[in-house]
Every structure is written in structure tokens, then in C-alpha cells.
Amino acid sequence: HSGEDAISAYFQSTDARPFLQNLTDAQKADLQNFEGNAAGFRILTHTYPAQCDQAGGLRLTYTTLATFTKYPKEVLPVKKGTPHTSEKKYGFFQSEKERYQTIAQELGLMKKGNAAEVFYHRHPLAFLVEAADDICYRIVDFEDGCKLGLIPFKEAEKLLKAILNDAPDRKSNITFFDWREQIGYLRARIIGKLIQETAELFIQKEPEMLAGTYDKPLISEVSCKAELDEIKTLSVEYIYKNRPVLEIESAGYEVLGGLLDVFLNAVFAPQTNRHRKLIDLIPTQYLGPQRQVPATDYEKIMNVTDFIAGMTDQMAISLYRKIKGISLPQGY
Amino acid sequence: HSGEDAISAYFQSTDARPFLQNLTDAQKADLQNFEGNAAGFRILTHTYPAQCDQAGGLRLTYTTLATFTKYPKEVLPVKKGTPHTSEKKYGFFQSEKERYQTIAQELGLMKKGNAAEVFYHRHPLAFLVEAADDICYRIVDFEDGCKLGLIPFKEAEKLLKAILNDAPDRKSNITFFDWREQIGYLRARIIGKLIQETAELFIQKEPEMLAGTYDKPLISEVSCKAELDEIKTLSVEYIYKNRPVLEIESAGYEVLGGLLDVFLNAVFAPQTNRHRKLIDLIPTQYLGPQRQVPATDYEKIMNVTDFIAGMTDQMAISLYRKIKGISLPQGY
Amino acid sequence: HSGEDAISAYFQSTDARPFLQNLTDAQKADLQNFEGNAAGFRILTHTYPAQCDQAGGLRLTYTTLATFTKYPKEVLPVKKGTPHTSEKKYGFFQSEKERYQTIAQELGLMKKGNAAEVFYHRHPLAFLVEAADDICYRIVDFEDGCKLGLIPFKEAEKLLKAILNDAPDRKSNITFFDWREQIGYLRARIIGKLIQETAELFIQKEPEMLAGTYDKPLISEVSCKAELDEIKTLSVEYIYKNRPVLEIESAGYEVLGGLLDVFLNAVFAPQTNRHRKLIDLIPTQYLGPQRQVPATDYEKIMNVTDFIAGMTDQMAISLYRKIKGISLPQGY
Amino acid sequence: HSGEDAISAYFQSTDARPFLQNLTDAQKADLQNFEGNAAGFRILTHTYPAQCDQAGGLRLTYTTLATFTKYPKEVLPVKKGTPHTSEKKYGFFQSEKERYQTIAQELGLMKKGNAAEVFYHRHPLAFLVEAADDICYRIVDFEDGCKLGLIPFKEAEKLLKAILNDAPDRKSNITFFDWREQIGYLRARIIGKLIQETAELFIQKEPEMLAGTYDKPLISEVSCKAELDEIKTLSVEYIYKNRPVLEIESAGYEVLGGLLDVFLNAVFAPQTNRHRKLIDLIPTQYLGPQRQVPATDYEKIMNVTDFIAGMTDQMAISLYRKIKGISLPQGY
Amino acid sequence: HSGEDAISAYFQSTDARPFLQNLTDAQKADLQNFEGNAAGFRILTHTYPAQCDQAGGLRLTYTTLATFTKYPKEVLPVKKGTPHTSEKKYGFFQSEKERYQTIAQELGLMKKGNAAEVFYHRHPLAFLVEAADDICYRIVDFEDGCKLGLIPFKEAEKLLKAILNDAPDRKSNITFFDWREQIGYLRARIIGKLIQETAELFIQKEPEMLAGTYDKPLISEVSCKAELDEIKTLSVEYIYKNRPVLEIESAGYEVLGGLLDVFLNAVFAPQTNRHRKLIDLIPTQYLGPQRQVPATDYEKIMNVTDFIAGMTDQMAISLYRKIKGISLPQGY
Amino acid sequence: HSGEDAISAYFQSTDARPFLQNLTDAQKADLQNFEGNAAGFRILTHTYPAQCDQAGGLRLTYTTLATFTKYPKEVLPVKKGTPHTSEKKYGFFQSEKERYQTIAQELGLMKKGNAAEVFYHRHPLAFLVEAADDICYRIVDFEDGCKLGLIPFKEAEKLLKAILNDAPDRKSNITFFDWREQIGYLRARIIGKLIQETAELFIQKEPEMLAGTYDKPLISEVSCKAELDEIKTLSVEYIYKNRPVLEIESAGYEVLGGLLDVFLNAVFAPQTNRHRKLIDLIPTQYLGPQRQVPATDYEKIMNVTDFIAGMTDQMAISLYRKIKGISLPQGY
């Protein structure tokens, strides 16, 4: 999440300007509003010409790919403040736009927006993916924050029990001696309950989904919505604003922005010795045939961005520190 | 694997002697031949009294647990050089012996060995688990070693193609430009082929398994056994004897042995201030009620071993370095 | 505090045994129950023969030294579970015993215990020193823990307000927008209140002190004793058992014990090249004339202990890491 | 000292230009000639609106504050090469100018300069503060440099004895065996002598001070002025130009300038995600109500500067390294 | 080699532009095509005015200096794609041009090019120096790469044996059990063989060299030229493109460019406190009399470049890290 | 030097006792008085059976080897306090004793001591090697210490000029502006002078050397012996007792002793997994055929000692830190 924003921030900065001048508005918008969902779609469906001569990425079924796509639209037009959950983000970059269109047409997804826009109604199963994400992130992050001591146990327990809404005379058949165990048990019961509720909601709302008249997260309609919102509020306050988290995220802008800048400069002017060495550090798949830099500006940028976005935090930090002279190579 | 050995080495050392004196021979043998399969069975089935009042661990079905258990015997008697794959290691510690017996009896697994020994024939599905492990570890480690540059690509390619045994006039429908992609593709095809072969073998050998007359790894009967053995040989030479691997494993003996020693000393003599602070560092679940040290020597040792064995490499190194004065706390 | 215990632990260990064999029981007891109050008295009053030819340490007045001495007794006999606050610890080592006796006699402090023991009633002003220590440590540690996020603000605020016992209709003339400011303000008001109360108590109890019939901490008689005890309980739970604190304290045993062992071995066998280099690392003042090792075992031990105990945490860790081959010297 | 200069250098740099454009000349001059004395006055007298609703800082008496203020003038006009010691620096920022005026008027300090300038004669006690500073910094730095081995003992001893100007037949009653002890003793005697002399000078010059006709440091009139100057010369050569000192100071410009730039950019454009995270790292007191950024450019700059200037070296380096991706967060 | 390029890259960058504006084209070309051979000639022949009053550097003989100079020309005109080995690089900076001219005239080296250019035929012995360099770098780097495991032993062995071209029935009188020993032995035999061949070639070609009609590397005419070229190709692929090598070289651009920029800024504007401290970090020899900055822009740049280029990798990285706030000074 | 002592200290410690029990007294004495000169002789003359089948080490001439051998005796009998310079240390281990005897007999070196001892008169050229060592170490260490700021320039200059003993009216033709240059120049002139004097001494004393009646260092008879002794005294005081030096040397005992212990334990009990991994870390040449551990205890010890003693400081520290769990492997 924070990585997406670091990449967007780089492409909004003046440093990135020279690289973007030959791109279309939509291509620029992709990079300046870098979206993990679209990046995921690209990983699943894109084959680099430098890899092999056969396209199609991981070769998943159309249904799987449509289910994966929670936001079946391209980046533009941006839908600020939309009440429609499927329009809040976008689901594929310009480079995969055609591929998604093929999928949508093949599966008969309903078109949305005007003719010029690539914009569809969700595949119904995408509502279940969204619900699964919402449940997991919200509950599990909260449990983690609690176990790490960031959220006081008593506050957490009160909230989790409210969600379960147990009858006052409910007799638990387990007695917990370790509060960590207890939190885990509550989490498991809540997830069970939410799966149950969202499954029922899905069945009930499926006709509307198919008719294109339902467009909100299933989780927004469960019985304990208020408590889930409270969990989110507490998570933001206690976990996401925790100093170490903020410090690492702030560093992420330096690291990801720094790496993008170094490698974009290299592929845009590959003649110098310095840049040649940097290009030698890029894996073959992100380069063109014979490890030449890709032909077009757009490919250069997309491939370098794939390279940087595809690293784990640890790899990115390690590479950044090495090529910036920050980390000491062994023996120095 | 290397962690198992580091724990065994500690319990064989003179440092551990005072802690073991009240243990039975089989309990000692468990610790001195520490076995990851038995540790896994314990994690799946054990509930600490300090967690809650209800036993049963993760509460999996008996069939799942029997399938998981590739070595359905207790530690003694050791079967050195046995030709029977199910006797090469052992599958549960003394602490879970009774639990396994219940499972075996419930599922009707055939008894082996003399009456005093807890020793069964495998559940047939355990042969599939073993095959899956064998295929994955052998092929995927080899692929990783190749991608890390430890194994020369040409040697790897030759061997992998030999396994696939393609007809000389086979036309691949994909052309690879990046050798990493190609290795990945060969790996995928080999895994597919091995799954196919072992599945067929399983069906063919199931009657023998049920009769208790089959006891070797399915993988030892596949068509490309010779090449798989060659892969193993190359992996040992190039990967497992790679200097950084050896250095980290050597450090592991210091780190795991050091942590076991520090925390066993603490729980065996919990009165001193030094030990009290160390005990305060042990998670509640590995202690007894009210965070007292467990009552018996055996529980003390098993729980501390669970605590140490349950850490990731990174956690273990970090804790070791902190309490040994090696790593500098922030601000020093 | 944790340093005292690390030093005691070393001298109780078998490693220290060879060095202690020529010491008296009381000298051994000093080291094995190493006491910061006695170490402080030594720093204030001791001059090393290697420094200059004139004794008397920092040359403070007898009254100051008696006021400083909260525990006017030597180490033996240990008074376990005594209700008398002045007997809970001891105030001077064997090396400074005579000096304290001179002070006590000069100031007319009342003798306690039997003739063989060096054991006095407190100078009345020592009760005020004790009260100051008690107030500061308890309130300020609590405030720090709160500001570091270890103690939830709401729990802290409730407790601190209870101490101040404000009338329900009390109108504060300051409105705080930053809870850190507010905690600081409550802390300041509480310290003011406690100074007031203990000052009054001191005046009231002085006759008893002079008569030798008063021997408890003034703080134990203030109006808010219950809340202060609750503060202590919370501080132990939230602050002193905080993982980083426990980890650093555990490392302290390794570091201080390690340094004592290295340097005691050196001064007890100064002939080898290795030990000569270590002795060259000891500051002149802790050695004898011409930087020879001190003549007696007792002086050797006391001086090395002064050297190690006199280091800041940072100095001790740094020296330990250097001479153990842990920290990398520049250029490696 | 070096921190003041690093802050000034930042505000003189082109990086700071966009932030300063709405400030008055005097406000800019404060920042571009950042002065520790004025910063100290601000800490003592300033309350942030985000703290509480009551102004007045630490609430010291007017006399204390006037005594503290060695340079009772605002930043402009700069008095280059002035012979008047009270005009060499300035004593308060524009933000505290009114407060100082109130103090000066209340205490009846004599006005200096033209009507438009805020410019007073010193409170006489400020001459004593200045003398104390001069004595301490000069003698104690020199002693430290000597004990650290930067200044050869023989040169130091000769100079210190020259200051004491002992009669040739003076018999010391102490013989020192450790030169570090001896240096300490000489330092103590010199400080005693200088206190004596400056006290006498103060009494003698007080009428002139009150008349506003005395304006030089008391230390410039003591008997051993020549030797004190020599001490200063040696300290500069041996201590302040010592490589590690220079290296740390050079790093200070990077670190403090870097932090100012990062956080000023954040508070001047608080909308982006990156900046929001950075603002979340600023303590409440340096922000406005509800942790909003302060309203005016001047407050934004002053508060961020207070935040950065108020960190210890260690805190500043640690924060800089974290948010720049230099230091590795635990677990990477 | 990579250092030369990092220095050139800095002087080609916009950062360096302000410093270069008063330089001649040839002076600029020196810096923007920084050449280690010319830097070596400068070290051997240059005395800094701040060192002593006598010029002449290390005071070697003219013959030694002419032998050292493989490229007896100044930087301009650049001879891109020349077939003449002596013109591929240049051998002295503008600052040492006159000195080389004196040497050339004194030794009677033949002039080349037009009258305005400083451009000579090689001293014949320079061909031997070139051959020695070529042999060593090519063979020894290859051996190192092999011993480090970067080049597979079997490929290396095949190639090295091809160079030796042993008769099929050759009986070695040594049997090797350790392949590292064997590689060393092959390397020694090859170097022996190449010395022999190039010595013979030298004798044969000397008349042409003296006549100025021979201008290619002796190594290009040996019997095993093809294998030597293959060795070079493998070395580039396996060694020079090894990731750690590329990472360190990439860091070198940051470090050397960063140091040049910091210190050039300092000597070009030496008035600020920040720059004064940096200048205090420059060794006396690279400054002018009384440690003032040198008088001319050219001297400022050449001396700072000498300072930076003269550091070992380790010194450069260490200084860069210190003054950039990257490395933590002791005690932080 | 300090490494020799660390190795000796280990073999004197109780840790080494079990490994030494099957060695002869002389073999033990070699290890417990580990001597760099003997280690050098071994490197020059020893071929490991695991390397190749041909003995003779680097295959130097007998004269070169005899010249190298300043101490032509075996370790026993130890000659404490001998006035004969050639007996102060020893020149070869038991493992190379026979080889030296062959050399001595072949060159006709005169036998010394009784028949049972291997003990010769020096080859005359060894006196020149000794003189070269003495001159270099003494003068160059002193110059380094001076340039590092450990020895005050004025003291150094006075002493160096005294050695040169210039006529009072000597006019130097060079004026130095940088004291570092001047120190270098004085060093160069002194070395020139000492070479001259010792060469003359050698010619004069050669008949005595050949007759076996001369046995002291040539340097002990030069005109400036007193100043050279003073240089040694100052070097010890200022350089060799410098804290960082002492700290690194102290660490050396931990590191070298630690590595010897780890690897000796491994080769003496090579069956365990832990030891097998450690043995895999030993280079082939120090093991026996097929990388088995060597056959005899003596070979095991000598080879492991060669392995450890042959590492640079940096390699030893790095290996020690890795296998002890001190240094963090990349990615932890």
C-alpha cells in the first residue's frame, strides 16, 4: 500500500518529468496513481518479450482473472468520492487494457460508462474476493497489533466480544489462561461468523450483482458493521500511526523513488559506463532482447517499475543501500 | 534440518547433562535425536496447560494427522540402516506417544515391532506426502541453486532435459530468451511428470501398502530415479556445501545451543534475579499457570525446546545477539 | 540496580571462586551482595594510592556523608525481611568501614546491634534523602513510561488524579491540548504535594528519629500511599518487564560478568603477554604505583570492580565488544 | 555551536528559499543567523498553543530571564566587529521580542540604539553568567582534550601552572602519581582563582555596568588573560580541529539540513500521503490544534526548527538515518 | 578503472559545470576523460608547492618515466577507434605536459602529429610494460575469478591447457590433488610461456619500434591470441559482470562524485563555517601555503581530484559515509 | 607478532590439552612458543600432500632459505637471556627440521650445540636480513606513529635529526612546508645512512661470521644506537600501548584461540554433523586426500594452525564472527 504511494509520488515529482513526456495521459495517470490491483493483474497476465515468445502470463482462466479484478475499469476517468465500490480504484494498466477487454467480452460482463472508456460491471465473484480481503485485513491486522502490544488487550477484547454478540448466559466450553490464545480464539470465531454472514449476503444479492445494480462491499452490510468500523479506527490510530511504521514508510519513499530514478536514468541514457553497469544489474526479463533496453519509453518505464515494484522490502532496501554507497561491502 | 541437528547436539553435550538426569531413556533419546517430524506432530496436537483448559492442539482429523506422520514410531529402538522408509526417522515424542496410539487404533493402522514398542505401519496417504516432499525439495532446491548461480546452467539444463526424456524430434511450442524462464519451465514440466508417475505408482502399490508389505519411497521407483539421484548429488556439492550456507549452519549450533542453555538454566533455577528476567522473556504459553516454571523437568525441557525451536532463524539470532551483549541496543 | 545484581551474580559464580579465597567473609559478602549505596560511599570517600598521597576522596563534610548514608551498617549480619528501613541494605564496604565509624562517632550517631557489628541509627537527614529518592524514582519513572507509550494514558491519568485528590468542583486554570503536557503538569503537582507532606512528616517525626525509635520510609506514611503502591505495581508490570529492558538487563550480566572475569584474570596472573595488554587497558588510578597490579587480592578485586562498575553502560558494552572480537575495528 | 551553524546554513541555502518568502527581514535574519542564546530564551519563555491555553513557558522570574540574556538585542542591525561584548550576538527571536521588552521595561534596563530597535544594556548579573560560561568552557574543554590525549600533557601542565603563577618555593601538600589526577587538581585550583578574580572585578565594575558604560567580558580583565588566550588557541588547534570532531560536524550539516528540509516540505504541503506520514512523526506540541500544521509560515518554520533544534545529536542522527533509508529497521 | 570513470562522470555532470568555466578545453578534457595513466605520471613527477620548495616528484630517471608512459600524448585530439595502441589513451595531464616534453626531447623520442600537439612515438621499453600489464591482468584476474568460484573450473582448465598447447603425450611430473593448486600451476606455466614469446617478439620488432612504424600490443601477436581473447570474454562475463562487482562500482560513482562535489564546493567558496571545516579535513599537501586554498581554479580542481583519487576504496567510502551522516560515529 | 602470541597462548591453555597428548615435547614446544620465523620457513618449504605429489614448497634455492633463517635452531633447548642474537628465537618447526638440516649440510653451515640438537651458525647473509628488518620496523613504525599523530612531531624531529648528526652549518637544499613531508625525508635519509653503515659493518665482520665468532645484530653496532633505542622506547610507549592497538590485540586472543579451538575440535572428532560442516569450511590443502582429516594428531594440529595462522586479520575476524553467530548474515 505504502509502496504504491511511493511509486506514485515519484512519478508525480519533477524528477520523473523527462521520462514521461512521450506518454499518453492515461499512461501517465497509471504511473502517477500507481495501483497494486493493476500491478497484480499485470503480473498474472503479462509475459515479457525477453522471457519467451508466448504471451499470457501465468495462463489462468478468464473467470479467475475476472474474479481477481475488483475494479474493472481503466485509470481514467478518476471517480473521486464515488459511492460505487467497484470504481474506487482501477484494475489494469493501459498495457493490459486490451487483455481485460477480451476477458470481459468473453465472459459477457456488462459495459459501463461511455463508449470510449474501458469500464465494466464486476464479475459477481469479485464481491467475495473483496469480502475476504476486507475481513482478513481488518481482523488480522487488529489481532497482530494487539499481540504486539500496540492495542491494549482490554479495549480489543471488549470490541471483539461485541462483534460476536454472545448471549449473556453463553457458556464457553474453553477457559483461557493466556490472553494471546484468547484473542486468537475470538478472531477465529469472528472470521467464521463473517464468512457465514457474507456468504448469505452474496446469495441474496447475486441477482442484483448480475443485473449491475449492486455495487457496495458485502462487508458494509453485515450485522456488526459499526464494530468493524471501530476496529478500523483503532487500527489506524494504534498500528498504522505507530512510529516505526511511519519511519519505515517514510524511508520507503526515499528508497523506491531513489531506485526508480537511478534505473530510469540508466535505461533512458544507456551509453555511459555508469548506466551500463546499472543496466547489468537489471534482470533479463525486464530488458529487451539481447539485454538491450526496451524500445519505447513506455516499455522502459513499465519494465523498470515492474522491477522495482516486484522487489520485497528487504531486497529494495538492500539494493538501494548498496548502490548509494550506504552499506559497506564485505571487507570494507 | 540443521536446526534439528543443533538441538540434538546441545542435548548430547555435557552442558545439557544436569537437566536430563531425571528423564527416561526414551525422553533423552527424543532430545538427543531431535526430530522435526515429531516436533511438527507436537505442534499440531499439543495444547499447553498455560493456554487454555482444552487439549487437542489445532484439532485436525485423525486421518490428517496419520497422513502427516511419515514415521509412525517412537524414537527407540533406533533402526540404523533400515531399508524401510517408514522407520528411518521417528514421528512423535514421548509426550505425544499416547495421542498417536489413539489415532492409530482408531484408524486401524497395523501394529509393528514387539508389544512394548509403539510402532505402526504407515497410513497409505503418508506415502503421497513423502512423495510430495521428495519431489519439491529435490527439484525446487535445485532450481533455486541454479538461479542463484551456484549450479552452472548447462549442467542443470542437461540433467533436467534427461529427466523429461523428450523424443528427439519433439517441437517445443515456446522459445525461451531468458534461461531463468527456461529453467522454471523445465521444473514445472518435471513436477507434472513426477506427479503423474507417483500417482500411478500409488494406485498400483496401495494394496501392498494396506497389507503392510510396501515400505519404500514412491520416488525411488519412478523412471528417472538415476537423474533424481544425480540432482541430489549436485545439490549437496554445489548448494549445501556452499560457504555461506555452511557458515550460517555452523552459527546455528552456537545460537540454538546458546539459547537452550541460557533458558534451561533459568527454568531449572528460577530464583536468581538474572534468571527471573530471562523467564520474563519466555512467552506465557511455554510456562506453567501464573507464569511459574513448569512442574516437571521433562515439561521444563520440552517447553523451552518448543520455545527455541519455534523461533524463525531471524528471531533466534536476534534474541541470542541481544541477551549475549552482541548486538548494540538502540542508543548505544 | 541491574548492574549491582550483575556484579553480585559474577562473584557468586564459580568463575569468581579462585579470586575470593583469601578474602574475609565480610569482604566476600560485600562482593556477592554488591550494593550501589556502598559503592557511592566509596566513590565519595576513597582516594586510590595511585592517584596521590592524600586520602579523603572528594572531601565532603561528615554531615553530608552521613546524610548520604541511608543504610548505616556493614554487610553482615544480613537482615532479611527486616521492618526497619535503615537495615534493608548496607551502606559501606569493608574498605570504608573505619571511615564510616569515624564519621558516626564524630557526629554522635547512636550505635545499634552488638559490639562486634558496625551498625548505627540513621542521621535524621537521611530520611529526607530517602524520601526524595522514593518520590523521584516512583513518579518520574511512571511519567517516562507513560510518555514512552508503555502505560496507557487513561490508566495513568486516573491514578495521578486520585493522588491529587482534587475536590470535584475544582476548576483548573489551565486547559491542556497535549496529553504529554498534562501528564507533566500532574507530575509536577504531585511532587509538590509529596514534598509538602514529607516535610511535615519529617518535622513531626524528628524527635523519634533522634531517639532512634523511628525507622520507616517517610513515604510510607503519606496520605496517598495506596496510589503510590499502585504506581509501583504498574511500573513493574509495564516498564521494568518491557522486553527491551529485560533484554538489555540480561545482556548486562554477560557484559559486566565478562569484563570482571577478563580483568580479574589479568591482574591475578599479570605475567603473560595477553594479560599485560589487558592491564595496559586499565586506567592508572585502579592500578598500584608504577602501574603495577595492586599488592593484595582484596585491593586487586576492589579496584577492578571499581573500574568496571564505574563505566557507563555504553563504555562497558563498547569495551566488552572490542576485546571479545565482537565489534569490528574500523577498517575491517 | 555547530548545530546553530548547520541550521543557519540551511536557511541561507536555496533549498530554504520557498519557505522564507512571506517572512519579514528580521524573521529571516533570525533563521539565517540562528542563535543558541535566542533559542534558549525561547525554550524558557514560550508555550506552544498546542500544549495548553496558558502562556509563559517555564514561568521563571524576570530577573532570572534578564540574567540569562547575555545579548539583550534583536538580530538586526548586525553589529559586525563590535567591541561591545553584549552586542556580539543576539538574545531573542522576533517571536519573543515583545516578551523581552516587557522584562526589560519591568526591570528598568537601559535602552540602547535608536527607537526602532529593540536593544538594551545588559542586566549586570549577565556579566557573571558570561564569566561562568567563559571559565567553564575554556578550562574544562582544555582539561578534557588533555585527558583524551589530544593535547600533550607537558604543554598543558606548563600552561596551567603559569596561570596559577605559584611562588617558586611553593610547597604543594599533595603529591600526584597519576597525571590525570594532577590535571584535575590544577583545573580545580584555576577555576577557584578565576571565580575569585571575576567576583572582585564584578564588585568593582558594577557601578559602570549600572551606568551602561561597561561592556566587555570580565574574563578579559583577569590577571592571566594571556594564558587563557593561549589555552583557547591550543584548544582550537588540538581539539576543535581534531578529525573526528570535524567529521561529525560536517555530518551535522547534512543531518540537520536534511531534517529541516524534509519536515518543512511536509508542513508547507501537508496534503500528500508522504507528507502526512512525516507530519505524524512530529510531536503534538510543534503542531497546531488537532495536530493540524500551524497557520502561518512563520509558525510553521519556527516550530519545525524548534523540533529539529531540540533533538539531541543522537536523536537527530537516528531519525535522519531512519527516514532516509540509511539505517536498517530491525528485521531487514 | 572504475574510479577513473566515476571521476570523469562527475566532471561531465552539471554539478561540476561551475567549477570548470575558467579552464581551457584541454584541461576540461583531462578531467572529463580522467585517465589513470596520466594520474600515475603526475604522482611520479609532481611536487605540491605546499610540500617543499623543490620540484620533481619521486625523482625517477627520464628513461623510467618514458618507459612508464604507454600513451605519450596529451588528451586532445581524442583518437577514437585508432588502430595505434599508443594513441588509445593519453599519458599526462596538462599540468605535466611540459615535463613530458622535456623528457621526450632529452631522450630523443620521435614527434608525432602536428606542431601544436604534444604527441610522441613510444619509448620501445613501453611496449614491454604494456605486455607485462596485459599478461598479468588477463591471466591473474582469470585465475582469481576461477578460485572465487565465479568461473567453472572445467571451462577454465580447458582454456588454459589450450594456451599451453601441450603435446598429446606430454607427461607432467606433478600430480595435483587440489584443483586450486593446479590452476596456479597452469597460470605459472602460461606466464612463463608468454614472457618468452613477448621477449622474442620485442627483439624482433625493436627496429620497427625505433623507426616509429610499430604500434600495436606485443600480446596481440603471440601464438595463443585467440585463447587470450576468449579468456577476456569469459572474464567480462563471469567476473566483471558479477553482481557484487557491479554494485560496488555503482556505489563508486556516488561516493567519488559525492566527495569531489563536497570538497570542490568547499575550496571554491572557503568562507563559510561548513566549508572551513571541510577544508580542515584536506591534507596539507593538497592545499596551498598556510593551508590556504590554492590560488587558481585549475589548481583547486587538480588538487582536490588528487586528494580524492589518491584514497583507497576503503578510505573514500569511510570518509563519504562519515561526512554524509551515514555512518554512526562511535557512541551514537 | 601478536598473532604468534595468541596462538601460543591457546596451546598453553587447558582447552588445547586433549589435542597435544600424543605429541613429542619438541612438537608441543613449537606450538606453545609459536614462532613466525618458523612458520615462514614452513610456508616457503612445505608442500601439503593434498596439494600435489611433489614436495619442496616454493622451490627456492638453499642459499635463499638459509639467508631467510635468522634463527638456525630448533625450538629446544630454549635459550633464555642468551647474548647470541641467532639463538633468541627458533627458525623451523619439527616438521621442517630435516629439511633445514639438509640445507645446512649442503651449504656447509657450522654445527653448534651438542650432537642431539639441530643447531647451526647463521649463514652470513642472514645478518643482512636481520639488519634490514631492524631498520625497517624501527624507523618506519616510528614514522607511521608520527604521521598518525600518536608521537608529537617535535619529539620525533629532534630524535631523527640527532641520528643524522648533521653538521651545525649544514645547509639543506630543500625547504619543507608540510611536516609530514619532512618526516618522510628524514626517514629516507636515515635509512640511507643505516644501509651504508651496516653494509660497511658486514664487510668488516664477515670473517668473524664465517668463523662463527660473531653473533649480534649489526644494528647494535651502528653509530646512532642510543637514538635507535630511544625510538624503540617511544614506539612502545606511544604506538604499541595505544588503546585501539591493545584492544585489537586483546580481541586477537579471543578470535585466534576461538578459531583454533573450533577447528581442532572438528578435525579431532569429525563424525558429528556439526564438525562435518566445519571441516567443509577448511580449504582442501589443509586436509588430507579426498578431504579426509589428516591421519596423525601432529598433522591435524599443524594443518589447522597453518589454516588459522595463514588468514589475514580481516579474514580471521570475519570467519570467527560468522561461525559464532556474531555477525548477521545478509538478510537477517
Side-chain angles (χ1 to χ4, degrees), chain D residues 102-113:
Chain D
T102 310
I103 293 168
Q105 283 156 18
E106 199 71 29
L107 296 179
L109 299 186
M110 276 179 293
K111 188 90 175 56
K112 241 175 153 178

Side-chain angles (χ1 to χ4, degrees), chain E residues 277-295:
Chain E
K277 285 180 220 291
L278 287 165
I279 291 167
D280 285 340
L281 285 168
I282 301 177
T284 299
Q285 90 191 77
Y286 304 113
L287 293 174
Q290 274 77 52
R291 294 188 54 85
Q292 296 304 306
V293 297

Side-chain angles (χ1 to χ4, degrees), chain B residues 226-285:
Chain B
E227 288 82 4
L228 289 180
D229 288 350
E230 173 71 4
I231 278 182
K232 195 172 185 177
T233 306
L234 287 180
S235 296
V236 168
E237 183 181 340
Y238 285 115
I239 306 175
Y240 309 137
K241 295 207 172 175
N242 189 247
R243 278 196 87 80
V245 171
L246 292 169
E247 289 164 351
I248 289 171
E249 288 185 351
S250 295
Y253 289 87
E254 292 285 332
V255 168
L256 296 184
L259 288 173
L260 283 169
D261 201 55
V262 160
F263 285 101
L264 285 173
N265 269 298
V267 297
F268 270 76
Q271 321 76 359
T272 73
N273 287 337
R274 177 177 202 171
H275 290 168
R276 234 174 329 204
K277 285 180 219 293
L278 288 165
I279 291 166
D280 285 340
L281 286 168
I282 301 177
T284 299
Q285 90 191 78

Side-chain angles (χ1 to χ4, degrees), chain B residues 5 9 12 253, chain F residues 265-266 268-279:
Chain B
D5 196 57
Q12 289 161 20
Y253 289 87
Chain F
N265 269 298
F268 269 77
Q271 320 75 1
T272 73
N273 286 338
R274 178 178 202 171
H275 290 168
R276 234 174 330 206
K277 285 179 220 292
L278 288 165
I279 291 167

Side-chain angles (χ1 to χ4, degrees), chain B residues 45-164:
Chain B
T45 62
H46 185 68
T47 302
Y48 297 93
Q51 291 181 297
C52 67
D53 66 354
Q54 202 164 73
L58 300 192
R59 314 193 134 250
L60 305 177
T61 65
Y62 282 2
T63 307
T64 300
L65 292 169
T67 302
F68 174 84
T69 306
K70 290 188 287 186
Y71 309 103
K73 73 182 287 293
E74 62 180 321
V75 63
L76 295 176
V78 173
K79 303 277 184 184
K80 273 254 166 107
T82 176
H84 300 130
T85 189
S86 74
E87 300 175 8
K88 280 188 173 137
K89 301 177 176 181
Y90 65 96
F92 37 84
F93 295 129
Q94 293 304 302
S95 49
E96 282 74 46
K97 186 166 64 172
E98 262 180 77
R99 185 167 300 270
Y100 188 78
Q101 280 177 295
T102 309
I103 294 167
Q105 284 156 17
E106 200 69 30
L107 296 178
L109 299 185
M110 275 179 290
K111 187 90 175 57
K112 239 175 156 179
N114 64 42
E117 297 164 18
V118 179
F119 194 0
Y120 292 86
H121 284 276
R122 266 188 188 168
H123 190 290
L125 291 177
F127 285 94
L128 285 182
V129 167
E130 181 183 50
D133 281 2
D134 288 349
I135 293 170
C136 284
Y137 292 141
R138 218 169 279 188
I139 305 294
V140 175
D141 277 13
F142 189 72
E143 182 191 9
D144 283 354
C146 195
K147 288 190 173 166
L148 287 169
L150 300 176
I151 297 170
F153 168 65
K154 290 203 180 133
E155 280 192 63
E157 189 193 19
K158 205 171 60 187
L159 203 48
L160 294 176
K161 288 196 161 161
I163 292 176
L164 288 167

Side-chain angles (χ1 to χ4, degrees), chain F residues 241-286:
Chain F
K241 295 206 171 176
N242 188 247
R243 276 195 89 80
V245 171
L246 292 169
E247 288 164 351
I248 291 172
E249 287 185 351
S250 295
Y253 288 88
E254 292 286 332
V255 169
L256 295 184
L259 288 173
L260 283 169
D261 202 54
V262 161
F263 285 101
L264 285 173
N265 269 298
V267 296
F268 269 77
Q271 320 75 1
T272 73
N273 286 338
R274 178 178 202 171
H275 290 168
R276 234 174 330 206
K277 285 179 220 292
L278 288 165
I279 291 167
D280 285 339
L281 286 167
I282 301 178
T284 299
Q285 88 189 80
Y286 304 114

